[in-house]
Every structure is written in structure tokens, then in C-alpha cells.
Amino acid sequence: MNNSSEAVAVRLDDVRKTYQTGEVEVQAVRGVSIEIAAGEFVALMGSSGSGKSTLMNIVGCLDRPTSGRYFLDGEDVSSLSRDELADVRNRKLGFVFQNFNLLARTSALENVELPLLYSEVALTNVELREKAEQVLEAVGLQGRGDHTPSQLSGGQQQRVAIARALINDPEVLLADEPTGNLDSRTSVEVMEIFQRLNEKGITIIMVTHEHDIASYARRNIVMKDGLVRDDVVVQNRLKAAAELEKMTAGEALEAAV
Amino acid sequence: MTSKNFARRLRLLSTFKIAARALRRNKLRSALTALGIIIGVGAVIAMVSIGNGAKAQVEAQIASLGENVILIFSGSTTASGIRTGWGGAGTLKIEDAEAIRREVPAVTLVSEEVVSNAQVAAGNQNWFTRIYGESADYFEIRQWALADGAPFTSQDVRSANKICVIGRTTATQIFGSEDVVGQVLRIKNVPFQITGVLTSKGLSSQGTDQDDIVIMPYTSAMKRVLGGGTTLRNINAQVASPKDLAPAQQQIIALLRQRHNIREGRDDDFTVRNQEEIAAAQTATTETMTALLAGVAVISLIVGGIGIMNIMLVSVTERTREIGTRMAVGAHGRDILTQFLIEAMTLSVVGGIIGIVTGIVASKVIAMIKNWSSLVSPTSIIVAFIVSAGVGIFFGFYPARKAAQLDPIDALRYE
Ligand SMILES: Nc1ncnc2c1ncn2[C@@H]1O[C@H](COP(=O)(O)OP(=O)(O)OP(=O)(O)O)[C@@H](O)[C@H]1O
Ligand SMILES: [Mg+2]
């Protein structure tokens, strides 16, 4: 994580994505050009169907643009093969999904280790365990390694997912509505983790519908009909740690009354 | 490069772990799927073992005819295979046997044979049995040792002495546990002295009791049991080594045709068979049986394979999201393919190993109950093992490839 703040993590050059469903052609993304510097924390917003997820899939190397170029960490990844894209995802990207996508009946530790199983880096079982325990600790889940997803709350499951995204030390952390399935307090807890990670230098791109969640980011990009309509720096940025304290104080007050 | 290879190997190892974990997660389902293979492989092993057992039994019985034996029957087998009075037409004469003894050098032993069924008695016991008239060479040709007493000699044959040797069954039926040698057996009211008891040979390939027999000099049998006549049912001849069989057979045919004045182009009035030909016909029958049984077993193996394919397809569909997740964090299509192939192969190989054990046990149990013999060959075990692994690969490939070709985004979105 020694990127200087000038380094460009993600650069999109007139990226378009057209879906062909039968006779109908859907232009989900219609020419997006953005630059996201290393160390940024971007919230991608916009109404439903505006192309946020489509764009995130391209940025996440899960999908290829129909046209346009995409540079990730300076490398042109717009025309890589399936396997090459998989390797890029493994080395440089971490994913956090709305529905967590943890492997059922598999312990938190094993879930977290998953990306390392597909990594080129050869680790021994002991090293693997150590690393997984480290990242679980980083998201505040020390001691929960043996729990399976069904034994964890939604917030805890999302933390396991974040730990999994972090295990390969990614350049960019991608999250498509990471708080979509969580209550407000748990959402802020996730934002607290994101801000802490971002402080350490990880670039974060997050899709969200909620304005208050977006104000935890440094920059907001708003999409409409497959185009970027607005791109602003967040003015009154919220600090998740402070918000959590306020919430705890409020709860204590309620309890006292 | 080497570190990359190392990483790949490690990846394969972890893929094994993933597959094992997935199978353990669905224990009952895995067990039921493997059961299809267990039954299939078990059936193959059991059937082949029993078939091999039957074949070995037949071979042993044929070997008990004696080694390098040529049988000459009176009566012919036409080109179309119809036998006209095999052994019954009475075309073979004692002189024919003498001629063979004299003029075919490869032939080392000759026994003239006549056969009759008769009531035999001793004291107040009687028994219906087969009477064989033979020369003194017979016991050596058939490698039939005596359990007690002595066989008759060439001298006994020349003098047509009233002596005989009896089989184990006949001995027990008439004399019970009494000492037999030296006793007198009445055949057609002629008293024959018993000089020996034969060792037990068991059932023949046709299922008759070979020990239910009385053997005496053929001269005595002709004169005192058959009541005259000079024709033989057949002649047993033995050559020194297998390579002598064919030439000796040719010489015998030529010799007998000449002696019987059979003109060029006419059929023989006798039939010459060597023991190998008889063995071939017999084993062909048991082989057909084995093939049929194995065929049925193979079908059940295929059904087991389809079971694996079915479960793997269900599994791929159920775990679409898992596959998507794995791809999202960097799994290649190949990793997913290997994972599911290993799952399918583990099911079939474990099923195969259990099936092999089950099949061996089943064949022994069946053999014990039915009083058959079973013979488990190492080849059948190796083949069963390889085939079950092959079934896993073959039937697991389609589902595994389906999984590997999934699009990560579609897979992640799958509900
Ligand atoms: N696989 C696909 N095939 C066809 N059309 C698609 C596909 N994926 C998305 N679309 C279309 O592309 C457009 C953008 O979809 P996308 O999922 O990117 O929207 P979104 O901004 O993420 O919406 P939401 O906020 O509801 O998640 C929509 O009109 C959608 O119908
Ligand atoms: Mg979306």
C-alpha cells in the first residue's frame, strides 16, 4: 500500500456496455470516462437501472466492456482472457457483495482463505491460517473463525466477506450495495471498517442508494441512464467512528429514560 | 516457472480438499450415489468371480481326463456336425487299438474302452452303476491313482481275469465303511474280486459322479458283462507331449481310414478328438455364461454412472452461487472443472473400492450357499478399479464442464 496519491488506480476511457436480449438492445453503460486515484473512497450512486452494477462488474473484471478501455493500476485489462481476468481479480481486487456470498456450512476461516486457494502464491497451511486470522482480526471478528455463516449475524457475515476481500492485499476493494441487507447501525459499523481500510491506503469503490452511507465516502459519482451525471467531492464527510459513539450514547440515554 | 508449477500443484491439492469437504457436507446423498457404483462394481466382481470359478472347475475336470489325451470314438461326425451313433456304431475293433499301439510312435499309452450299465451286488447290498472295461494303461492316462489296493495288470487283461477296481461312491454304497479290497462283487452273477479302490475325482463337467464306477479289464467286460462282441466304444490314447497331439491325431486318422477301407472323399466312420478340443467347447459355454452375467453387471454400472451424473448436475445447479463466488475471487474454469471432476471421481472410486470388497464377499457367500466355486482374479479387481474411476470421469465430465463454463456474473446472481 505504498501508492502515492497521484497514482491512478482505475481509469475508464469511454467505456460502454450493451446487452443484447433477443431483439432488444439495452445500453446499460453509454460512454463513461472516469479516473479514480489510488487511496480514494468513491460512492457510486444513481437510480435503479442506471448502470451502477454493470459498471462495477467491469471495474471488478467480472465482465468486459463492449467498447472503450479500462486501465487497472496502469494495466490495460479491457481485452484480457477469462483466465487472465480471474488472475487479476485474485491479485488486485476484493469483492464485497450485498448478499455476502459466503460458502454455506463452511467456517469463517475457510471462507476467508478462499482467494488464497486460487492464488499463485504458494502458502503452507499454517501461513494460510495465520493470514486468515489476521484479516478476521482486522474486521473485528477475532475468535469467530470457526463459526459458519448460519451462526453469524448479517453484520458479522459481511465482515467475513470483507475479510475475504482483504486477504490478498488488493489494490481496490469493490462493494456493490454492501449495506443493502444491513440495519443502520451495522451499516455504520461496515463504514467504520471501510474508512479505517481507506485510511491505510486501500482504494474503495462502493455502490449505494443511501445518501448518508454515501457521505462516508470522499467522493460521490452519480449515474443516470448509463452516464455519469455528477461527480463531486463529499463536503460534510461523516466519520463512522464518531457516528457510532453518538449512537451508543443515544442508546444509553434511551435505556436510562 | 517451478514456483508456479509448485503453486499449481498446491492448487490441485486444495481442490482435493474442497471436493472432499463438499462430499462430506452431503453425506447421505454422497453415500446413496456411491451405492449405485457399489452395486455395479460389486455385481461385476461377484459375477466374474463366480464365472471364473465355474471355468476353473470345468478346466480342472477336463484336466482330470488326463494330459495329452486323444479320444477315438466309433461312429462319425459329418461335416454338418450331425453325429451318427457316436460311440455306438461299433466300428472300432480291438485290432484298431493294437494297430495304433504298434504303428503310431508318438502314442505312448493306449486303452481300449467299453462301457455298460449294470446292477452290481455284494452280500445283500446292490447298486446300479457304470462298468468300464479298460486296458491297464487307463489309470496312467487318466492320472487316476488308487486310494487302496492295486490296479489290474496287462496280464489280467490278456487273461480276462475276473477282477475289478471300484470308485469311491460305489464302494460306500455297497460296503459302507468296510474294507473293500479283497471283497467279491457280483456283476451279472459273475463274481469279480476287487483289487483296489480309486481316489475320488468328484463331479464331471456334465455333472455325473465320476466315482460311481467299476473298472475292469476290457477283455473281462466284453466276455462276462457285455456277453461277447469285439467292438469298442472308444479308444483312449496318450502322447508324450502337447506338440505330438496334432501329428499323432493325423496319423491315427490315416491309419484308421486305411484299416476301415474308407475311400477318398468319404466320411470317417470314427471321430478323433483331443482333450484340448473338448476343453475348448466346454469352456466356451462357461465363457458365454460369464459374459452374459458380466453384461448384466456392466449395465448396472452404467446405471450407477448415470446416478453420479444426475447428482453432479443437481449439485452444480445448487452450488451455482458458490461457483460464482469462487470465480469472483480468482478461480479459473479449470479449477472448477477439476473440483467437480474430483468430486465425481471420489464418489465412483470410493464406491468402486467398497464395491470390490462387497463383490468378493458376495461371490464367496453365493459360492458357499450354492456349492459353486468362486475365483477372484487380481485382473478383475484392477479392471474394476480403473473402470469405476473411468465411470466417474466419464459421467462427471459433462456436469463439471457445465460448471466450469458458467459466467461469473450470472452465477453470482443465480437465485
Ligand atoms: N445481463 C443483462 N442482460 C440484459 N440486460 C441487463 C443485464 N444486466 C443489466 N441489464 C440492464 O442494464 C441496465 C442497468 O442495470 P444495472 O444492474 O447496471 O443497474 P443498477 O444501476 O445496478 O440498478 P440497481 O440499483 O437496481 O441495482 C438495466 O436496464 C438492466 O435491465
Ligand atoms: Mg445494481
Side-chain angles (χ1 to χ4, degrees), chain A residues 82 87 89-90 101 118 120, chain B residues 321 326-327 329 332 404:
Chain A
R82 245 172 89 99
D87 288 339
R89 291 196 295 269
N90 185 262
N101 276 332
Y118 300 112
E120 295 292 354
Chain B
R321 281 263 290 280
R326 288 181 185 281
M327 287 177 161
V329 301
H332 289 194

Side-chain angles (χ1 to χ4, degrees), chain B residues 26 52 111 120 307 399:
Chain B
N26 274 309
N52 278 344
S111 178
V120 300

Side-chain angles (χ1 to χ4, degrees), chain A residues 17-21 24 26-29 45-57 63 98 176-177 207-209 223 226, chain B residues 409-410 413:
Chain A
K17 182 74 190 182
T18 310
Y19 290 113
Q20 191 79 44
T21 37
V24 193
V26 181
Q27 294 187 308
V29 174
M45 305 190 62
S47 54
S48 188
S50 57
K52 305 182 295 292
S53 294
T54 306
L55 194 65
M56 280 296 266
N57 289 339
D63 207 355
Q98 178 176 354
D176 195 342
E177 300 188 34
V207 170
T208 184
H209 279 290
M223 285 188 75
Chain B
I409 300 171
D410 294 341
R413 282 218 200 103

Side-chain angles (χ1 to χ4, degrees), chain B residues 230-409:
Chain B
T230 51
T231 61
L232 303 170
R233 188 185 76 142
N234 62 289
I235 300 167
N236 305 312
Q238 190 178 40
V239 293
S241 78
K243 68 172 170 30
D244 293 333
L245 277 172
Q249 218 169 328
Q250 288 316 311
Q251 284 172 37
I252 290 169
I253 291 169
L255 177 66
L256 291 181
R257 283 182 74 90
Q258 182 208 336
R259 289 184 57 84
H260 294 189
N261 296 318
I262 299 167
R263 260 173 305 169
E264 198 83 34
R266 305 289 304 251
D267 282 340
D268 298 342
D269 62 357
F270 56 91
T271 308
V272 181
R273 287 275 181 273
N274 68 44
Q275 171 213 0
E276 274 171 27
E277 292 164 339
I278 296 167
Q282 295 275 3
T283 46
T285 319
T286 55
E287 269 166 11
T288 312
M289 271 279 292
T290 309
L292 263 172
L293 292 173
V296 173
V298 164
I299 289 170
S300 64
L301 198 56
I302 291 172
V303 173
I306 293 169
I308 287 190
M309 179 135 117
N310 185 23
I311 283 302
M312 292 312 294
L313 281 173
V314 170
S315 178
V316 167
T317 311
E318 268 182 5
R319 287 151 67 193
T320 303
R321 281 263 290 280
E322 173 193 326
I323 295 162
T325 307
R326 288 181 185 281
M327 287 177 161
V329 301
H332 289 194
R334 196 177 347 119
D335 296 321
I336 304 293
L337 183 91
T338 333
Q339 178 189 333
F340 281 91
L341 264 188
I342 288 175
E343 273 184 40
M345 248 179 78
T346 307
L347 279 177
S348 65
V349 166
V350 170
I353 291 171
I354 300 175
I356 288 170
V357 175
T358 315
I360 292 172
V361 173
S363 76
K364 296 288 175 209
V365 170
I366 293 171
M368 218 170 68
I369 293 170
K370 286 277 186 182
N371 209 9
W372 295 342
S373 70
S374 97
L375 191 77
V376 183
S377 74
T379 347
S380 69
I381 291 176
I382 293 165
V383 168
F385 184 81
I386 293 170
V387 164
S388 57
V391 163
I393 294 176
F394 184 81
F395 289 99
F397 188 77
Y398 174 70
R401 205 190 50 169
K402 222 180 125 174
Q405 287 177 341
L406 282 172
D407 181 65
I409 300 171

